[in-house]
Amino acid sequence: MYVLTDSWYTSKDLIEYSLSKGFHYIGGLRSNYTLKPAGIPIKISDFYQYIEKDELDFVKLDDDYYYVYRYQGKVGKIDYATVLLCWKNDFSNSDSPKCILSTDTKLSTQTILEYYAKRWNIETSFYYFKNTLGLNDYRIKSLQGVIRFWHIVYLAYNYLEILRVLTPNDINLGDTLIIARDYILKDLIRFIYYAIKEEIPITKIYDTLNLDGNDLYLVA
């Protein structure tokens, strides 16, 4: 199990907490962190300017390729970790690299990059949780209520993911949500249509839809 984060969250406290729960940590790393190559402390922002191309690994990931410098040792206040300094598609030591830290030092450079690349899917998932499924707007104070609400939101998300997988076209979760809303609206229209054909009283339709049976007329 791995905790994946961007550089905003990487800290000694979070890394140690993840490890205490049995999870390794892979996250972005800011360039103001200090490394100790050859036992000499130096900030990443100063260090990468001395890196030469023949010191780098060449790694292909999907349609992109990366020049990667791999370091293992002390990182800031973190006793021991792997750090990858990555340049996408081309290398120049005058350009700042993307920095990635991994507490699982046994992973290959290729595997660390593959795992970290999955973080973006997690980011988009949180976007849908917050902006579409209401995880950003609830006002519940009791712990039990929060847990129940989270269960409902995650069930809704799983339903949308299953629907997305079953859809023949390659679509994102936002498109899937539109399809799900269309299904609900079509079911509602279908129910009303057949209720009218069977001459079901309108009060009965109100009751089935859990609506107040009192008609409200607005007069200009």
Side-chain angles (χ1 to χ4, degrees):
M1 299 290 289
Y2 293 86
V3 175
L4 304 177
T5 76
D6 61 20
S7 60
W8 179 264
Y9 296 97
T10 297
S11 66
K12 184 176 185 289
D13 290 342
L14 181 55
I15 290 173
E16 289 183 345
Y17 182 79
S18 300
L19 293 173
S20 72
K21 296 298 182 179
F23 305 143
H24 271 296
Y25 183 96
I26 298 177
L29 190 68
R30 295 185 295 275
S31 61
N32 61 349
Y33 270 78
T34 300
L35 308 180
K36 292 188 72 174
I40 302 172
I42 183 172
K43 287 186 177 181
I44 294 174
S45 56
D46 297 324
F47 174 66
Y48 71 76
Q49 302 173 41
Y50 300 103
I51 294 174
E52 299 294 336
K53 193 170 186 177
D54 58 7
E55 300 177 84
L56 306 179
D57 296 322
F58 183 80
V59 179
K60 191 174 188 307
L61 189 63
D62 295 328
D63 295 328
D64 296 311
Y65 57 89
Y66 297 85
Y67 292 95
V68 183
Y69 180 89
R70 183 180 178 115
Y71 163 87
Q72 289 192 177
K74 189 173 179 62
V75 184
K77 296 180 180 179
I78 303 158
D79 291 335
Y80 196 77
T82 295
V83 173
L84 305 183
L85 308 184
C86 310
W87 288 265
K88 184 177 179 180
N89 296 336
D90 198 5
F91 166 74
S92 171
N93 58 14
S94 61
D95 296 331
S96 58
K98 173 68 178 180
C99 308
I100 302 171
L101 177 145
S102 172
T103 59
D104 190 347
T105 58
K106 295 179 181 179
L107 292 179
S108 68
T109 299
Q110 175 87 31
T111 303
I112 293 174
L113 289 177
E114 288 176 353
Y115 285 1
Y116 186 74
K118 297 182 184 297
R119 187 187 64 81
W120 183 245
N121 290 331
I122 299 172
E123 292 282 353
T124 56
S125 295
F126 283 141
Y127 172 84
Y128 288 116
F129 274 127
K130 292 179 180 179
N131 294 280
T132 305
L133 299 178
L135 197 59
N136 204 35
D137 302 315
Y138 67 92
R139 299 291 184 269
I140 303 172
K141 294 184 178 180
S142 72
L143 178 59
Q144 185 180 50
V146 170
I147 292 173
R148 286 174 175 173
F149 181 77
W150 281 25
H151 285 168
I152 293 171
V153 171
Y154 274 84
L155 282 171
Y157 186 89
N158 286 332
Y159 166 77
L160 291 173
E161 277 290 359
I162 293 170
L163 182 60
R164 184 181 68 81
V165 171
L166 294 176
T167 302
N169 299 323
D170 185 17
I171 60 176
N172 59 38
L173 208 65
D175 296 328
T176 310
L177 183 62
I178 294 172
I179 293 174
R181 286 172 174 167
D182 287 347
Y183 283 162
I184 294 172
L185 183 58
K186 287 177 181 178
D187 282 342
L188 177 61
I189 294 172
R190 188 180 297 109
F191 165 75
I192 296 173
Y193 172 77
Y194 285 110
I196 293 172
K197 287 190 68 175
E198 296 174 12
E199 298 182 351
I200 296 175
I202 192 168
T203 53
K204 180 65 175 177
I205 297 175
Y206 285 155
D207 290 341
T208 304
L209 298 176
N210 198 27
L211 298 173
D212 186 353
N214 296 322
D215 290 328
L216 177 63
Y217 297 96
L218 298 179
V219 179

